[in-house]
Amino acid sequence: MEKVIEIESLSKHFSDKTALDNLTLYIKKKEIFGLLGPSGSGKTTMIKILTGQMKPSRGSTSLLGIPSEKLKQKNIFQKVGIMTDNSGLYDRLTVKDNLKLFCNLFSVSENCIHRALELVNLGDEQNKKVALLSKGMKQRVLLARIFLHQPEILFLDEPTSALDPVNTQAIYTALKDMNRDGATIFLTTHDMVEADTLCDRVAFLNRGHIQLLGSPKSIKQRFADQTLTLESLDGLEHVFESNEKDARHIYEMLRTNQVVSIHSNEPTLEDVFVKVTGSDLR
Amino acid sequence: MIFSINRTMAIFQKDVKDVSRNVFVGTTLLVPILMAIVYKNIGEVTLEIHYTVINLTFSSVAAFVQCTLIAEEKEKNTLRSLMLSPASILEILGGKSILTALITLFTIFISAVITGYAPSHPFVIIIGLLVSCLFYLALGTLLGLMTSSVMEASVAVLPVMFLFGFGTLLQQVSDKYPVLSIIDYLPNLQLLELAKKVESGASFSSLFVNLIVILMAGILSSALVFMIYQKRTLKD
C-alpha cells in the first residue's frame, strides 16, 4: 500500500482557536478521501497545510514523500491539482485564455483545453469572458483548470458547492474517471451525499479532532440500529427488530401478500455525524 | 532556481491581453505624456524638467502600474494560483515585470521625443534608465505584495509617487537642512545627477558612482521583494 499523503501529529492553532489538534492520518494511492465537517471545522486549513500554503503549529505533512513546505522547491506542483476558496481567475480574459496560461505553466498542449472544458460541461463557453460567467460556471472553470495537466493528486475544497445537480453529476463522473486513471483525490465537503457517492473513506472532523474514520458503508453499518421497516397494503409502516418473534411476523405478512416494501433502517452519514459530534453539518 | 522562458513568456502574454483591456492602466500612461506636452508648450525645457517627466514616468508607470497589477493578482487570488503552479518566483515576477518595463520605457521615449531631450551620451543614459527601471519595478512589486487590494495599493503608492516623481522639489529642502542630505542618494536624484554629469562631460568613473547607487537601490528592493514573496507564499 503506497501512502501518497501523510499527516503526522498535526496541530494548527490560531490566536483564539485550535483548528486542528494532533491529527495523524494517511491517504493511499488512488483513494478518494473525504474530510467532512461543518463550516469552520478546519477542513480548508488542512488543505492549505498539506499544499504548503500554511505552516502547521506542530507536526508534519507530506505529499508523495516530500514535506509540504518543500513542495515548491521540489517542483511537485506539476503532479498536484488544487482548488480551494483562494483559487482565482482572470476576469478580463476569456475562459480559453485563462486555461491557455495554465497549459503553458504546466507544459501541456493547448489541445487539453477542449477536453477539460467538456468534462465540466463548458465546451461551448470557451470564448466567453470570465467576468460574464455565473459563480457555478467559474467554479467549473477552476475545476477544468486542474483537470488540464491530469495531476496525480487532487485537492478539492467543496468542489460542487455552487453547482446545480446536473453539473454536480458531471463533476462526479469526471472525478471518478480521473480516479480510475490513477489519481488520488482529497476533498473536503459538508455535503454528505457527495461524500457517500464519491469517497472510498471519509473522516469526520469536528473541533479539531477526527471523530470517526472509515468507508461510508462501514460507518453507516456500524451505526445502523438493526431494524427493518415494512410498508403494508393498508399504508401503515411497521418497524421490526432483529428477533425470532418479529421474523415470524414478517414471514406471515409476506406469505399473505400484505407487503408493499421492506428496507433496512441504515442511518445517513449526516445522521451519524450528528450522533457522533453532536453538531449539525451546516 | 528553476527558470523557464516559456512560462515567463506565458505570464507576459497573459498580462498583455489583460492590461490591454484595463482602462485604469491606459489612463495612467497618459499622465507623463500629457505632462511632457504641457512643459513643451510652457517654454524652454531644462534638464531638470526632462527628468521631472522621466522620474514621474518611473513612479507613475513603473512603480504604480506594477504595484496595482500585483495587488490585483492578490485581490483576485490569481497570484495564489500562479504560486501553486510549477512557475517559480523568478518566472512569475519576471513575467509580470516585462510588460510594465516595456510600457515604462516606451512612455519615456515618447515623452523625451515630445520634450526634445537628446543626451550627449545616449548609451550611458540608457544604462541609467534601465537600472532605474529595475529599482522602480522592484519598488512597485514590493508595495503590491504588501497590500491586499488595488484600492489599498493605490493609496500606498502615493508617497512613492511624490517622493520619486517630484524629488527635485525635495532637493531644494535638503539644501537648506543638511540632515536631509540623504535625499540626494534617492535613485531619481542620482539619475538627474548622472544626466547633469553626462552633459558637463564628466569622466566615466564619476558617472559610475551614480549608476552603482541606483543599482544598489534596485538590488536591495529586489531582495526585499524575494523576502516578502516567500513570506506570502507560506502563511503562519
Side-chain angles (χ1 to χ4, degrees):
Chain A
M1 177 192 64
E2 194 184 336
K3 296 174 186 173
V4 292
I5 302 173
E6 290 182 79
I7 299 160
E8 188 69 45
S9 309
L10 178 69
S11 295
K12 180 67 188 177
H13 309 289
F14 294 107
S15 54
D16 57 340
K17 178 184 173 192
T18 296
L20 303 169
D21 195 4
N22 200 27
L23 306 184
T24 296
L25 189 69
Y26 64 85
I27 317 298
K28 294 175 282 183
K29 190 175 168 71
K30 288 186 76 171
E31 188 174 26
I32 303 185
F33 184 87
L35 189 62
L36 316 182
S39 303
S41 61
K43 305 186 297 290
T44 304
T45 301
M46 174 74 99
I47 287 192
K48 285 183 179 169
I49 292 173
L50 284 171
T51 54
Q53 300 180 62
M54 192 181 267
K55 280 184 194 166
S57 305
R58 208 168 59 85
S60 63
T61 59
S62 65
L63 300 190
L64 300 163
I66 309 289
S68 294
E69 65 276 14
K70 291 187 177 161
L71 295 178
K72 194 76 186 179
Q73 288 147 269
K74 301 285 179 184
N75 205 19
I76 288 296
F77 287 121
Q78 187 68 47
K79 298 176 178 176
V80 180
I82 303 163
M83 193 196 90
T84 62
D85 60 346
N86 61 6
S87 303
L89 294 165
Y90 296 97
D91 283 347
R92 285 186 289 267
L93 299 186
T94 62
V95 171
K96 191 178 179 181
D97 285 338
N98 266 276
L99 298 185
K100 200 172 152 184
L101 168 67
F102 283 82
C103 279
N104 290 321
L105 295 182
F106 282 95
S107 309
V108 296
S109 160
E110 288 175 20
N111 297 333
C112 298
I113 294 174
H114 184 69
R115 185 190 56 85
L117 286 174
E118 287 294 329
L119 285 175
V120 298
N121 273 347
L122 281 176
D124 299 332
E125 311 288 347
Q126 58 178 316
N127 294 318
K128 207 167 187 177
K129 246 190 205 175
V130 167
L132 302 174
L133 301 181
S134 67
K135 192 181 171 196
M137 287 165 106
K138 284 181 185 171
Q139 190 164 3
R140 283 187 280 153
V141 178
L142 286 172
L143 281 162
R145 194 169 78 187
I146 63 167
F147 292 162
L148 285 172
H149 64 292
Q150 296 181 304
E152 284 179 36
I153 308 175
L154 278 93
F155 288 95
L156 306 170
D157 192 8
E158 311 212 349
T160 59
S161 59
L163 304 188
D164 59 74
V166 173
N167 286 307
T168 298
Q169 286 305 320
I171 299 303
Y172 289 169
T173 306
L175 291 175
K176 282 178 178 169
D177 287 348
M178 288 193 79
N179 176 246
R180 223 180 350 263
D181 292 343
T184 306
I185 300 173
F186 183 105
L187 65 91
T188 70
T189 184
H190 57 234
D191 182 340
M192 294 293 115
V193 177
E194 180 166 289
D196 211 353
T197 311
L198 286 176
C199 299
D200 300 314
R201 275 198 310 155
V202 294
F204 286 179
L205 184 67
N206 191 40
R207 296 192 178 96
H209 295 96
I210 287 183
Q211 297 196 307
L212 203 58
L213 177 68
S215 70
K217 192 177 173 186
S218 70
I219 287 174
K220 286 187 289 186
Q221 279 175 353
R222 204 167 128 194
F223 285 84
D225 61 3
Q226 307 295 322
T227 60
L228 292 173
T229 296
L230 186 148
E231 190 188 349
S232 56
L233 275 177
D234 52 12
L236 293 175
E237 278 196 347
H238 309 266
V239 177
F240 295 104
E241 289 182 4
S242 178
N243 58 44
E244 201 178 327
K245 185 185 153 212
D246 281 5
R248 231 179 272 128
H249 198 154
I250 294 168
Y251 171 72
E252 193 53 34
M253 289 179 81
L254 285 167
R255 197 182 62 78
T256 53
N257 288 328
Q258 292 179 60
V259 179
V260 175
S261 70
I262 185 165
H263 60 86
S264 61
N265 291 325
E266 272 182 1
T268 62
L269 276 180
E270 185 161 5
D271 295 334
V272 177
F273 189 91
V274 172
K275 196 168 183 178
V276 170
T277 65
S279 316
D280 197 0
L281 268 164
R282 303 283 170 228
Chain B
M1 167 115 20
I2 306 160
F3 185 78
S4 153
I5 192 75
N6 287 341
R7 283 200 281 261
T8 310
M9 289 314 286
I11 294 170
F12 165 64
Q13 283 161 7
K14 181 274 295 174
D15 270 350
V16 171
K17 282 185 187 165
D18 199 22
V19 169
S20 66
R21 293 162 197 172
N22 187 338
V23 183
F24 176 70
V25 172
T27 49
T28 308
L29 300 185
L30 292 176
V31 175
I33 294 173
L34 287 174
M35 204 162 169
I37 294 169
V38 169
Y39 277 127
K40 177 70 183 169
N41 288 302
I42 284 175
E44 191 197 350
V45 183
T46 61
L47 194 64
E48 278 79 7
I49 288 179
H50 286 307
Y51 276 85
T52 298
V53 176
I54 288 172
N55 282 322
L56 184 75
T57 309
F58 276 131
S59 57
S60 68
V61 181
F64 186 57
V65 168
Q66 180 75 355
C67 174
T68 52
L69 289 183
I70 297 281
E72 189 182 23
E73 292 256 12
K74 276 187 76 186
E75 186 178 356
K76 294 186 174 165
N77 285 322
T78 45
L79 186 62
R80 177 65 57 186
S81 301
L82 295 177
M83 285 173 167
L84 295 175
S85 77
S88 67
I89 172 173
L90 212 57
E91 291 159 2
I92 296 173
L93 298 182
K96 286 214 68 67
S97 302
I98 297 172
L99 180 66
T100 318
L102 291 177
I103 293 172
T104 305
L105 296 172
F106 176 74
T107 311
I108 287 176
F109 175 75
I110 297 290
S111 305
V113 168
I114 294 168
T115 55
Y117 177 47
S120 311
H121 294 287
F123 180 71
V124 177
I125 294 300
I126 287 170
I127 301 267
L129 292 176
L130 290 175
V131 176
S132 297
C133 197
L134 169 76
F135 165 74
Y136 287 99
L137 286 173
L139 190 66
T141 307
L142 189 66
L143 288 167
L145 287 174
M146 289 168 74
T147 51
S148 54
S149 66
V150 175
M151 185 70 85
E152 208 180 302
S154 307
V155 175
V157 85
L158 287 177
V160 170
M161 284 177 71
F162 178 74
L163 190 64
F164 295 102
F166 300 99
T168 39
L169 299 174
L170 290 171
Q171 202 173 23
Q172 290 164 12
V173 181
S174 79
D175 289 343
K176 280 187 185 170
Y177 305 99
V179 73
L180 295 175
S181 60
I182 193 161
I183 287 173
D184 296 337
Y185 291 95
L186 290 175
N188 51 339
L189 298 180
Q190 288 294 312
L191 186 64
L192 175 61
E193 199 179 315
L194 178 82
K196 282 179 179 169
K197 284 180 184 173
V198 165
E199 297 309 320
S200 65
S203 67
F204 184 73
S205 57
S206 76
L207 302 176
F208 197 65
V209 174
N210 302 108
L211 286 173
I212 287 291
V213 172
I214 303 170
L215 185 64
M216 289 307 290
I219 291 171
L220 189 71
S221 328
S222 303
L224 278 171
V225 165
F226 274 70
M227 229 170 67
I228 299 288
Y229 181 93
Q230 301 292 3
K231 211 171 146 59
R232 291 283 184 267
T233 308
L234 195 60
K235 285 183 188 166
D236 284 324

